[in-house]
């Protein structure tokens, strides 16, 4: 498949950097840019003092709605000045349900982009990641500061662990992998065996990619006392990768939040553009 609709999400108080990255990407591949402006509402007061603070809470919501409208108008003006195809929607949502609202919008896109603005805001980042990956089942492109997104990367590194999430990420990224000059399928401390990576770790995945016309080599990387995320980061540098493809949340979100993991590490500080799916 090709990526014909790309979603970006913004909120009041955020800048236009992510929108401009998304617009440039859409212009490059002749895609449509969908923008969702989401206002995050504070939960209503509860308890003994609810009656006292309810008026202040109501006034706060009115201010939030005014800010949301102002941000929506500003984004509309920005989109009108561009030559790309685009649309905009906005919604004021309780924080607890914002990820579902974002997911509903993401279902009508081929992928979503989360750039430096979104990555710097824990609240917005969490809602975008969970909305896109869990409520829409679509891939997410993370673009850290200092990087320019592209859907024509020359050197791609695929983090492969044999799980369903890795398989989904590979399937979604096939259009990118086919056109890349160099694809490294990377396994960190792979374990042989039918219930792990097979008799020759990486061979089955490489054969699958080769049948799709992907020029792929298998790299079996020892962790050498490092965590998996650190090993992947270093190998991305060693191979001069332009893009990292990886599955997201091979473990539960709760476990990731408590104990950390590769997904959490990459979301916290992506070393290069990351194409993430599950």
């Amino acid at each position: 498949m090709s990526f014909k609709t790309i979603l970006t999400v913004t909120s009041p108080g955020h800048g236009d950097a992510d929108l401009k990255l998304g617009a440039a990407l859409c212009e490059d591949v002749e895609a449509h840019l969908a923008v969702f402006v989401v206002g995050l509402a504070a939960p209503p007061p509860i308890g003994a003092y609810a009656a006292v603070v309810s008026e202040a809470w109501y006034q706060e919501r009115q201010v939030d709605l005014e800010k949301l409208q102002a941000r929506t108008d500003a984004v509309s003006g920005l989109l009108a000045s561009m030559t790309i195809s685009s649309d905009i929607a906005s919604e004021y949502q309780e924080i607890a349900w914002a990820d579902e609202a974002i997911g509903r919008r993401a279902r009508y896109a081929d992928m979503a982009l989360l750039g430096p603005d979104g990555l710097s805001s824990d609240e917005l980042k969490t809602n975008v990641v969970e909305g896109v990956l869990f409520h829409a089942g679509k891939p997410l492109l993370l673009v850290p500061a200092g990087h320019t997104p592209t859907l024509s990367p020359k050197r791609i590194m695929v983090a492969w662990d044999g799980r369903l999430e890795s398989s989904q990420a590979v399937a979604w990224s096939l259009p990118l992998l086919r056109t890349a000059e160099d694809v490294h399928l990377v396994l960190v401390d792979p374990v042989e065996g039918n219930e792990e990576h097979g008799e020759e770790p990486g061979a089955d995945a490489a054969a699958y990619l080769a049948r799709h016309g992907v020029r792929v080599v298998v790299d079996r990387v020892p962790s050498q006392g490092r965590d998996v995320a650190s090993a992947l980061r270093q190998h991305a540098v060693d191979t001069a990768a332009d893009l990292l493809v990886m599955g997201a949340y091979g473990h539960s979100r709760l476990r990731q939040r408590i104990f950390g993991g590769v997904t959490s590490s990459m979301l916290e500080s992506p070393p290069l553009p990351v194409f993430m799916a599950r």
Side-chain angles (χ1 to χ4, degrees):
M1 65 166 292
S2 56
F3 300 98
K4 289 300 181 184
T5 302
I6 298 173
L7 172 72
T8 62
V9 182
T10 187
S11 288
H14 285 83
D16 296 330
D18 290 9
L19 303 180
K20 291 177 180 179
L21 287 176
L25 192 59
C26 287
E27 186 173 24
D28 187 46
V29 298
E30 298 182 346
H32 178 89
L33 179 65
V35 179
F36 187 43
V37 187
V38 59
L40 302 177
I46 58 176
Y49 297 98
V52 177
V53 299
S54 59
E55 180 63 27
W57 173 75
Y58 175 77
Q59 293 176 354
E60 181 181 338
R61 290 175 72 91
Q62 291 302 114
V63 172
D64 284 347
L65 287 169
E66 292 172 2
K67 290 180 179 179
L68 177 62
Q69 186 60 57
R71 178 63 177 149
T72 302
D73 292 343
V75 173
S76 295
L78 177 66
L79 295 177
S81 69
M82 298 176 175
T83 58
I84 60 168
S85 170
S86 64
D87 71 80
I88 182 172
S90 65
E91 195 169 325
Y92 188 56
Q93 264 293 345
E94 307 294 335
I95 293 176
W97 312 117
D99 57 341
E100 294 187 13
I102 293 170
R104 286 193 294 271
R105 299 303 306 176
R107 290 170 197 160
Y108 306 104
D110 297 307
M111 61 172 285
L113 181 146
L114 188 62
D117 279 348
L119 288 169
S120 66
S121 170
D122 288 340
E123 200 169 64
L124 182 61
K125 176 174 65 176
T126 297
N127 281 294
V128 171
V129 170
E130 298 196 358
V132 173
L133 296 179
F134 288 91
H135 294 290
K138 297 298 178 72
L140 179 64
L141 180 62
L142 310 178
V143 184
H147 292 266
T148 302
T150 177
L151 293 179
S152 301
K154 294 181 179 179
R155 293 173 297 278
I156 301 178
M157 190 177 98
V158 179
W160 180 258
D161 62 6
R163 295 175 185 265
L164 172 62
E165 293 79 14
S166 290
S167 178
Q168 290 289 81
V170 165
W172 274 108
S173 64
L174 275 175
L176 312 181
L177 299 173
R178 288 194 193 100
T179 58
E181 296 176 1
D182 190 20
V183 174
H184 287 257
L185 186 77
V186 181
L187 298 81
V188 179
D189 293 336
V191 178
E192 297 179 6
N194 291 333
E195 296 184 2
E196 297 291 341
H197 290 281
E199 295 181 4
E200 186 179 349
D204 291 336
Y208 166 78
L209 289 172
R211 287 192 289 270
H212 279 279
V214 178
R215 294 177 286 275
V216 60
V217 296
V218 177
D219 297 341
R220 302 182 185 96
V221 178
S223 61
Q224 298 178 325
R226 301 168 294 179
D227 58 61
V228 174
S230 296
L232 291 173
R233 290 172 189 275
Q234 184 57 54
H235 203 67
V237 173
D238 294 342
T239 58
D242 301 316
L243 179 72
L244 169 62
V245 171
M246 62 174 285
Y249 293 106
H251 299 293
S252 71
R253 284 176 282 179
L254 178 60
R255 179 175 175 178
Q256 289 269 344
R257 286 171 180 167
I258 296 174
F259 299 107
V262 179
T263 305
S264 297
S265 178
M266 292 301 175
L267 288 171
E268 182 66 28
S269 181
L272 72 165
V274 179
F275 185 92
M276 188 176 283
R278 74 177 309 277

